Amino acid sequence: AGMNGTAIENFACVIFNVSFMNCTWHVGSTATEDTQYSLYWRPSEKEDVTECQNYIKDNCGRHIGCRFQNVTIENKYAYFLVNGSRSGQNLLLNNSISDYIIAEKLTPPLNVTVNCTEASHRCSIWWQPPLTSHVKKSSCFQYEIVIENK
């Protein structure tokens, strides 16, 4: 049996460079220095649950995050589970994580091309949408162009 306040808090994940994902959390408010957390996940209902292989640790050596590689999320749902232990004994936690955020830091647009004509004082700019882990529609993106005179 566990104690109230040992469950993790503020769980969030960020996808970057298309296929890397970092998930982080805060240790429970009553968790002691010997409390250890293990993160399990599956990107879809069809896949097996796997444990994190590359934990981020705090000064006490407790797991406070995980670095994932080769991540693909087919739809907007992923499933996370955190187990806790203290001195080798399992803790009873709010295991299933349903309240979380997955954000994605996008790469810049690709193959930016600029064509300016001096006679008409006009420029045309083309680019390809950034690579993304799960957004398939390029119409989902909005762009802002900043033009500086040099």
Side-chain angles (χ1 to χ4, degrees), residues 19 23 29 33 54 56 62-63 75 78-79 89 118 137 141:
S19 64
C23 295
S29 58
E33 289 185 6
N54 190 7
I56 302 166
R62 294 178 293 194
H63 300 158
N75 55 41
Y79 304 88
Q89 299 287 326
E118 202 170 314
K137 295 181 183 178
F141 295 102

Side-chain angles (χ1 to χ4, degrees), residues 67-86:
R67 293 183 180 97
F68 294 98
Q69 296 179 359
N70 303 319
V71 170
T72 54
I73 298 177
E74 293 295 322
N75 55 41
K76 61 182 180 178
Y77 299 103
Y79 304 88
F80 296 94
L81 173 74
V82 174
N83 285 338
S85 63
R86 182 184 307 148

Side-chain angles (χ1 to χ4, degrees), residues 15-20 71-72 104-105 107 131-134:
I15 297 172
F16 60 97
N17 290 345
V18 182
S19 64
F20 296 93
V71 170
T72 54
E104 183 166 7
K105 291 184 179 181
T107 61
L131 298 175
T132 176
S133 67
H134 64 285

Side-chain angles (χ1 to χ4, degrees), residues 4-9 26-32 37 62:
N4 284 341
T6 57
I8 65 167
E9 301 169 357
H26 295 128
V27 300
S29 58
T30 65
T32 59
Y37 299 98
R62 294 178 293 194

Side-chain angles (χ1 to χ4, degrees), residues 40-56:
Y40 301 86
W41 93 299
R42 62 181 177 164
S44 73
E45 290 180 334
K46 299 175 185 176
E47 297 186 52
D48 293 332
V49 174
T50 59
E51 183 179 359
C52 171
Q53 298 298 307
N54 190 7
Y55 282 107
I56 302 166

